[in-house]
Amino acid sequence: MIEKINKAFESRVRLGAMSVLMVNDWMDFNSLKSLLDVTDGNLSSHITALEKLDYIEIRKEFVGKRPKTSYRVTQLGRKAFQDHLKALENLLSGLQ
Amino acid sequence: MDNNKHFEQLAEIRSLMEKSSRFISLSGLSGILAGTYALIGAFIARKHIKNSENYLEFIEGYSSIYRTDLTDYQFFIALGFGVMALSLITGFILTRRRARDVQQKIWDKAAWRMLINMAIPMAAGGMFCAILLHHGYIGMVAPATLLFYGLALLNGSKYTLDTIRHLGIAEIALGLIAAFDIGNGLFYWAAGFGVLHILYGARMWWKFERK
């Protein structure tokens, strides 16, 4: 069966956030923001979308007095991203 | 029709995975310069040893520091720190410049992870060398520094360029050889911190920085 391109990863920000989280365990909001080079609002709306799909989980904690939010991919998210990658590769290799 | 978009997606995924998990801005040029400083330092040290009254002890690689004149050690420690400080400053400046080129922050998670993983074996090595000196085993200091430095590089290499891993393995091998050939510590120091840094720095520069 050929994997389908996942619509959830069509946005550049969501794709980027997932790429970063695939290779990092618990990444905080600000690190993610600076890596992806996006605004707070933009990132948080895409993060919420990924969270609603259960692709990522959220951890909130306090560092001193400041709240810190970190993210991690779930099993489901990992699987979905890998399938998406395979789908991309299949599409591209089919063309050659 | 969507092919370009898919290619771009794959490229972007790859680049973000790399950028977020590895510190890729390490400058090869700084390796070349650090190696050069080390060679100059080794040259100065060699001159100093030749003129020293304790020449025989350096050759035999064993001494009791309770007995010998401490000024030699102070001189070598000062020289060592001088070379190290100069290398670190050069490394920092060049790496910052390189970070700008590859659009990575110099101080991000990957850099932090690399440094922490290098610092642990380095600190252990530093203490171990102090203990060796305390017991008067000066001949084992050079092999030990090379070994621990190699292990530190190997450990830090998980979070940076692969070339660092190869440099680490080379330093470990050199350290083991040096451990057999006691009395030629300075030669191995010059080879490990001088020649190897220049060689691998040049390789990194050739692979990543050449324009």
Side-chain angles (χ1 to χ4, degrees):
Chain A
M1 194 192 100
I2 289 180
E3 289 83 359
K4 278 268 177 68
I5 292 284
N6 193 333
K7 286 260 192 290
F9 302 130
E10 271 190 345
S11 128
R12 195 197 136 259
V13 180
R14 276 185 297 232
L15 184 84
M18 282 301 282
S19 309
V20 171
L21 293 174
M22 285 291 283
V23 289
N24 288 280
D25 196 26
W26 292 118
M27 193 88 177
D28 62 285
F29 188 86
N30 285 331
S31 303
L32 210 50
K33 197 180 83 177
S34 77
L35 270 165
L36 298 174
D37 206 15
V38 287
T39 60
D40 277 39
N42 196 352
L43 180 59
S44 66
S45 73
H46 286 297
I47 286 281
T48 313
L50 287 173
E51 193 201 353
K52 279 205 179 119
L53 288 163
D54 276 331
Y55 284 178
I56 58 173
E57 52 181 308
I58 293 188
R59 182 179 69 184
K60 288 186 176 173
E61 63 195 327
F62 276 90
V63 178
K65 279 185 179 172
R66 304 177 65 188
K68 183 175 152 188
T69 315
S70 307
Y71 308 92
R72 177 163 81 172
V73 281
T74 59
Q75 286 290 341
L76 185 71
R78 192 167 286 277
K79 174 86 174 53
F81 192 77
Q82 276 161 354
D83 287 345
H84 179 71
L85 272 185
K86 263 189 214 138
L88 280 181
E89 278 165 7
N90 284 341
L91 263 177
L92 291 171
S93 66
L95 295 164
Q96 280 160 7
Chain B
M1 87 200 148
D2 274 347
N3 303 332
N4 271 340
K5 203 178 84 189
H6 294 142
F7 258 121
E8 271 166 31
Q9 274 205 358
L10 278 177
E12 175 123 12
I13 292 168
R14 215 188 129 98
S15 135
L16 274 169
M17 282 181 166
E18 182 102 307
K19 228 193 323 196
S20 65
S21 62
R22 280 166 175 245
F23 184 66
I24 49 173
S25 337
L26 221 53
S27 154
L29 200 59
S30 68
I32 299 175
L33 285 171
T36 312
Y37 302 151
L39 284 182
I40 295 168
F43 182 75
I44 297 170
R46 167 129 196 94
K47 282 213 135 168
H48 188 86
I49 290 176
K50 277 212 162 156
N51 300 330
S52 167
E53 291 167 16
N54 305 319
Y55 185 54
L56 270 180
E57 283 179 1
F58 285 112
I59 297 299
E60 284 164 7
Y62 187 85
S63 137
S64 162
I65 52 169
Y66 306 111
R67 199 189 48 198
T68 33
D69 184 6
L70 273 171
T71 50
D72 272 337
Y73 295 98
Q74 279 166 0
F75 175 78
F76 288 126
I77 287 166
L79 186 67
F81 271 104
V83 169
M84 202 172 76
L86 210 58
S87 303
L88 286 176
I89 293 166
T90 311
F92 178 75
I93 293 170
L94 289 176
T95 298
R96 195 177 55 182
R97 208 179 65 179
R98 179 101 187 95
R100 234 176 283 150
D101 286 352
V102 296
Q103 289 170 2
Q104 192 178 28
K105 301 234 157 52
I106 190 166
W107 195 245
D108 63 2
K109 272 198 145 175
W112 173 247
R113 258 181 261 168
M114 179 190 80
L115 282 181
I116 271 284
N117 278 283
M118 278 186 71
I120 295 167
M122 285 285 269
M127 279 184 254
F128 186 69
C129 288
I131 294 165
L132 286 177
L133 279 176
H134 171 76
H135 291 304
Y137 295 122
I138 55 171
M140 285 310 264
V141 171
T145 49
L146 288 169
L147 266 175
F148 279 98
Y149 181 56
L151 291 169
L153 289 176
L154 193 70
N155 209 32
S157 71
K158 280 173 275 180
Y159 306 102
T160 183
L161 305 169
D162 266 348
T163 316
I164 296 300
R165 182 183 163 78
H166 302 145
L167 174 62
I169 292 168
E171 299 280 3
I172 292 170
L174 194 68
L176 288 174
I177 297 167
F180 276 107
D181 191 11
I182 284 180
N184 285 319
L186 192 61
F187 168 77
Y188 290 101
W189 247 340
F193 293 107
V195 179
L196 285 183
H197 273 152
I198 293 174
L199 281 179
Y200 283 87
R203 204 166 107 180
M204 261 164 68
W205 180 83
W206 185 260
K207 259 169 98 173
F208 305 107
E209 286 158 71
R210 194 167 41 114
K211 277 170 192 147

